[in-house]
Amino acid sequence: MKRLSLAVTALALLVSACGPTVTEPRLGPDGKPLPQVYRLGFGEQSRVQFRMLDAVNALRASNGLTQVQLSAELNAAAATHSRDMAVQNRPWHFGSDGSSPVDRVRRVGYNGRLEGEAISETFETELETLGAWMNETATREVILDPDANDMGFDYFQEDGGKIWWTLVMGSQRAPQAVSEATPAVTFGQG
């Protein structure tokens, strides 16, 4: 009987070891779970870029807009700015040399028009970052710009895990015409 009891206990321990391990999330001083580091491995750049492209195009389609395509030039401008923001240790639209987004897209040889740029400093994934951008009016307007047909997207990840994201939207075609149903908006002094 003692052997049977020992065998059942051993079997129970073996079965319980096969089940999912539940670990409690680490909590910060505010009682909220600490962010998990999203590690981007070597060679993931194109996968991340195409995941973002697919997500942006799904959002654009759901808003009745045309799809955008990845532009090698805009990807290069985004990569340069992501790395430069990390060097400066601040998320902003100007380069350490004083360059603007327009300057950066010209430097990489993009012949179209810059429509806008979205940036972020975070530990979040690219899709979580896109969600945050869609919750802000200014960055949502960049992503959903009806004139955009090109997109650049890249990142720089620091050793500690912080990711600097840059999304650039551009257009190689003339802006969409204003229909007669849409009144033109002009700005002037009144």
Side-chain angles (χ1 to χ4, degrees), residues 16-184:
S16 68
C18 295
T21 304
V22 178
T23 58
E24 293 295 319
R26 292 183 2 193
L27 301 179
D30 59 359
K32 294 181 182 178
L34 292 173
Q36 299 293 319
V37 175
Y38 177 56
R39 285 279 174 207
L40 295 162
F42 181 75
E44 287 192 67
Q45 179 184 27
S46 64
R47 247 191 335 268
V48 168
Q49 288 171 330
F50 280 104
R51 229 181 352 251
M52 181 61 90
L53 177 68
D54 289 344
V56 166
N57 279 331
L59 289 167
R60 289 178 63 85
S62 69
N63 283 277
L65 299 169
T66 59
Q67 291 194 346
V68 293
Q69 62 184 358
L70 279 178
S71 159
E73 293 90 358
L74 294 181
N75 283 345
T80 299
H81 192 55
S82 293
R83 181 175 294 274
D84 191 45
M85 285 190 297
V87 168
Q88 296 181 70
N89 196 32
R90 65 177 171 181
W92 75 322
H93 293 282
F94 294 96
S96 56
D97 61 355
S99 62
S100 71
V102 171
D103 296 330
R104 287 190 295 277
V105 299
R106 292 289 171 250
R107 283 182 190 161
V108 296
Y110 185 71
N111 293 319
R113 185 178 69 242
L114 173 72
E115 296 296 340
E117 178 180 77
I119 58 172
S120 183
E121 165 197 19
T122 184
F123 287 89
E124 296 178 325
T125 69
E126 66 278 4
L127 298 180
E128 290 170 319
T129 301
L130 178 60
W133 284 338
M134 290 302 289
N135 284 327
E136 296 294 326
T137 302
T139 48
R140 181 177 52 250
E141 288 174 355
V142 168
I143 294 163
L144 299 180
D145 187 314
D147 294 327
N149 60 1
D150 289 327
M151 182 183 99
F153 180 72
D154 217 324
Y155 61 90
F156 177 77
Q157 186 166 34
E158 296 178 358
D159 291 339
K162 185 190 300 182
I163 307 170
W164 301 84
W165 301 104
T166 304
L167 179 139
V168 182
M169 299 296 266
S171 176
Q172 291 282 350
R173 61 175 180 248
Q176 291 184 358
V178 176
S179 71
E180 290 188 33
T182 308

